[in-house]
Amino acid sequence: MKKQLLALSFALAFGLTLTAQSADQNPRAQLAYKAYQTENPTDHANTMGVTMDQTYEAYDPILIKEARRQERRDFRRQLRLERARRPQFIAPRRPWGWNRW
């Protein structure tokens, strides 16, 4: 009984996946294909990889590393300038031990 129930459940699952795959997942695909057929191929090649807002920037690890290095140098320089502008005055320690008062 268990074998028959298991076989039935597998058959049902397999049948459901087949019907889900056969459904039209992209109903506007034919419209898109027709639009590409009527388009001039040279125009399509010129705009390949180009976004409308020109937001893509090529990833260059050398330039990124140099930019990070420069940011770190600028930050450290700014930190040194701030420390020089606001010196910390620390009371000198007494040579014979702890300050008792």
Side-chain angles (χ1 to χ4, degrees):
M1 180 70 179
K2 287 184 182 180
K3 289 181 181 179
Q4 292 173 350
L5 192 57
L6 186 63
L8 181 64
S9 64
F10 279 136
L12 184 63
F14 185 70
L16 288 175
T17 56
L18 284 180
T19 57
Q21 292 296 326
S22 66
D24 191 14
Q25 295 181 359
N26 189 359
R28 296 180 55 185
Q30 293 300 324
L31 181 65
Y33 295 149
K34 288 178 185 175
Y36 277 116
Q37 287 174 355
T38 58
E39 187 177 279
N40 189 356
T42 57
D43 291 341
H44 183 68
N46 291 338
T47 60
M48 185 80 82
V50 177
T51 58
M52 295 297 289
D53 298 331
Q54 300 293 328
T55 55
Y56 177 74
E57 185 175 326
Y59 182 81
D60 189 3
I62 296 172
L63 290 178
I64 290 173
K65 188 176 182 180
E66 185 61 36
R68 286 180 183 162
R69 197 178 279 165
Q70 188 62 38
E71 287 174 8
R72 188 170 54 245
R73 288 176 185 155
D74 292 341
F75 174 75
R76 288 180 180 167
R77 181 175 184 273
Q78 190 66 30
L79 195 61
R80 282 193 306 269
L81 289 173
E82 285 294 321
R83 286 179 180 161
R85 195 169 63 110
R86 297 180 182 172
Q88 294 180 353
F89 295 104
I90 300 174
R93 295 184 71 179
R94 297 184 187 264
W96 56 83
W98 296 96
N99 188 356
R100 294 192 180 127
W101 53 84

